[in-house]
Amino acid sequence: MKFFIDTANLDQIKEAKDLGILDGVTTNPSLMAKEGITGKENIYRHYHKICELVKGDVSAEVISTDYKGMMKEAKELAEIAENIVVKVPMIKDGIKAIAELKSLEIKTNCTLVFSAGQAILVAKAGATYISPFIGRIDDTSWDGMQLISDIFEIYSLQAYETEILAASIRSGLHIVEAAKAGADVVTCPLDAILSLLKHPLTDIGLQKFLDDHKKAQAALSKS
Ligand code: G3P
């Protein structure tokens, strides 16, 4: 399973990259706004910086919601760097744009997916990635992870090539469950990635190893 970081924050991207496990980045207009990046030029410059930092796929989302506008933006975004993946919303014009972008060999990530039916259309259109939003489904008291399992089953049976990118990840447990459900990629906030490092028995065990080593060294220097 590939690990992407879900942020537009350059420091967090660097931190995840330094761990040596980062395969890519996803962003969205909310995440760009959170970093205070506004205006097309600044936004595109920021995508360029991310693409220089990370050689894997970097998702950059269109703002237009009509076919023509999305196609224009998608082509402009794709010009920024070779590793740009154009993020397109799961709407009628979005599906049409994804199909056309596939024929132009521009990679796409279909975002805001909440049902298995939507997932079938996304795969038929030929998206590179599909982003089902796990956490937001959980927020409505439905089972977000079940959607990953359902899409995995359908895509496996139908031999669809679109990669399942589990998004709206909120915790380390979500990451583990997404891996079990067959996600190809998980995109996570840095906190969720770092939470995978933690286990109290690791800390206790390491402390004991170090204490025992220290005791043995002290005994050796006394003898
Ligand atoms: O990549 C989509 C993701 O950022 C949405 O996450 O936490 O806003 O539901 P969230």
Side-chain angles (χ1 to χ4, degrees):
M1 185 172 75
K2 285 183 271 189
F3 263 80
F4 288 2
I5 188 166
D6 195 28
T7 185
N9 183 287
L10 296 177
D11 290 336
Q12 291 189 11
I13 294 170
K14 277 182 206 145
E15 191 173 338
K17 187 188 169 191
D18 286 348
L19 263 180
I21 52 92
L22 191 66
D23 298 302
V25 179
T26 53
T27 64
N28 62 40
S30 305
L31 292 171
M32 294 297 270
K34 196 171 159 192
E35 298 307 312
I37 302 150
T38 51
K40 189 171 168 178
E41 244 180 62
N42 291 332
I43 289 172
Y44 280 35
R45 200 174 301 129
H46 197 76
Y47 284 141
H48 191 260
K49 282 183 195 165
I50 297 175
C51 290
E52 292 224 301
L53 253 181
V54 177
K55 294 300 157 211
D57 285 347
V58 173
S59 286
E61 190 161 340
V62 296
I63 305 300
S64 306
T65 53
D66 65 292
Y67 172 75
K68 262 192 174 175
M70 280 191 256
M71 288 303 296
K72 181 174 178 289
E73 260 188 80
K75 287 174 191 167
E76 289 169 353
L77 287 167
E79 284 292 308
I80 296 174
E82 272 191 359
N83 51 334
I84 282 280
V85 174
V86 179
K87 213 170 177 187
V88 177
M90 174 58 235
I91 54 176
K92 196 175 176 186
D93 282 29
I95 290 296
K96 197 174 153 188
I98 287 168
E100 182 58 20
L101 290 168
K102 162 112 177 140
S103 73
L104 298 175
E105 295 183 357
I106 292 176
K107 285 186 175 186
T108 53
N109 174 0
C110 187
T111 189
L112 292 164
V113 171
F114 295 92
S115 79
Q118 290 178 327
I120 292 173
L121 283 180
V122 174
K124 286 295 294 176
T128 315
Y129 298 105
I130 180 169
S131 289
F133 276 30
I134 307 311
R136 291 194 197 182
I137 297 176
D138 287 355
D139 290 345
T140 61
S141 301
W142 289 75
D143 184 355
M145 211 51 72
Q146 184 58 48
L147 178 58
I148 299 291
S149 301
D150 289 347
I151 298 174
F152 177 73
E153 187 182 346
I154 293 166
Y155 281 18
S156 303
L157 280 170
Q158 300 295 334
Y160 289 145
E161 287 174 2
T162 299
E163 290 188 51
I164 305 169
L165 192 167
S168 185
I169 291 287
R170 306 274 170 80
S171 65
L173 181 60
H174 267 163
I175 299 173
V176 173
E177 293 296 325
K180 282 163 66 182
D184 299 291
V185 191
V186 71
T187 188
C188 330
L190 182 62
D191 287 357
I193 299 175
L194 297 180
S195 77
L196 296 180
L197 290 166
K198 292 179 199 152
H199 197 290
L201 290 178
T202 303
D203 298 339
I204 293 166
L206 180 59
Q207 194 56 55
K208 182 157 171 32
F209 286 155
L210 296 177
D211 290 347
D212 289 346
H213 174 74
K214 209 170 160 188
K215 272 185 225 158
Q217 287 301 111
L220 185 68
S221 57
K222 269 188 208 157
S223 65

